[in-house]
Amino acid sequence: MTVLFIIVFAALLLVVVLERRALVIKARRRWGFTIILWIVAAGVGILPWWQRGSTDYLISGLFTAGVLILLTIWRQGLAPFAVINGILATRAYSALTSYTLTPDKDFVVITFYSGTMRVTRLNLLADETTVRQFLNKYAENIHSLAEAPSAE
């Protein structure tokens, strides 16, 4: 079981590293969620030592803590090939039809749609012009909307 934990952790680490390198425009981090996961990871990592459990218990606790930490360093944003929202929520631009941009003080709120259904919403750490230029270059099949599409 220990070998399986190492293989799964290494694969997840590789995915996180590749994802972070692919991001061109990053989204604002959700600090509340990140801090909660850090606290849980610390608890899960420390508990096996505190309870003086078996080696298997220690290894599974360290694996779980490591996976939670990897989840906290996962970043959301725009890559040249897709919108990266989460580990299981990466959307290729070809699956999207439109988007809306709403400038805010320090970021741009972008909402992507597939037809009239909202797919994802991100708070991007870039200005509106940079985001539009990026999408015109890498996502020419989707178009900008002035307002959210309505289901008629």
Side-chain angles (χ1 to χ4, degrees), residues 25-113:
I25 299 176
K26 294 180 181 174
R28 193 170 73 170
R29 188 179 287 280
R30 295 178 297 184
W31 283 106
F33 181 70
T34 300
I35 291 169
I36 289 171
L37 281 181
W38 284 343
I39 292 169
V40 171
V44 169
I46 292 170
L47 194 61
W49 273 298
W50 181 64
Q51 291 183 334
R52 291 181 175 77
S54 67
T55 304
D56 289 338
Y57 182 52
L58 177 63
I59 291 170
S60 67
L62 292 175
F63 169 76
T64 305
V67 168
L68 289 173
I69 289 170
L70 286 178
L71 289 176
T72 64
I73 61 174
W74 182 274
R75 290 298 303 261
Q76 298 173 317
L78 303 179
F81 56 90
V83 177
I84 299 175
N85 191 29
I87 289 178
L88 298 175
T90 298
R91 306 280 189 252
Y93 293 123
S94 60
L96 304 170
T97 58
S98 57
Y99 64 90
T100 59
L101 285 176
T102 309
D104 207 330
K105 295 175 189 166
D106 298 330
F107 54 90
V108 173
V109 178
I110 188 165
T111 307
F112 288 97
Y113 298 93

Side-chain angles (χ1 to χ4, degrees), residues 8-25:
V8 170
F9 185 80
L12 184 57
L13 179 63
L14 178 66
V15 168
V16 169
V17 167
L18 292 174
E19 171 271 335
R20 288 185 68 92
R21 291 182 53 93
L23 280 180
V24 176
I25 299 176

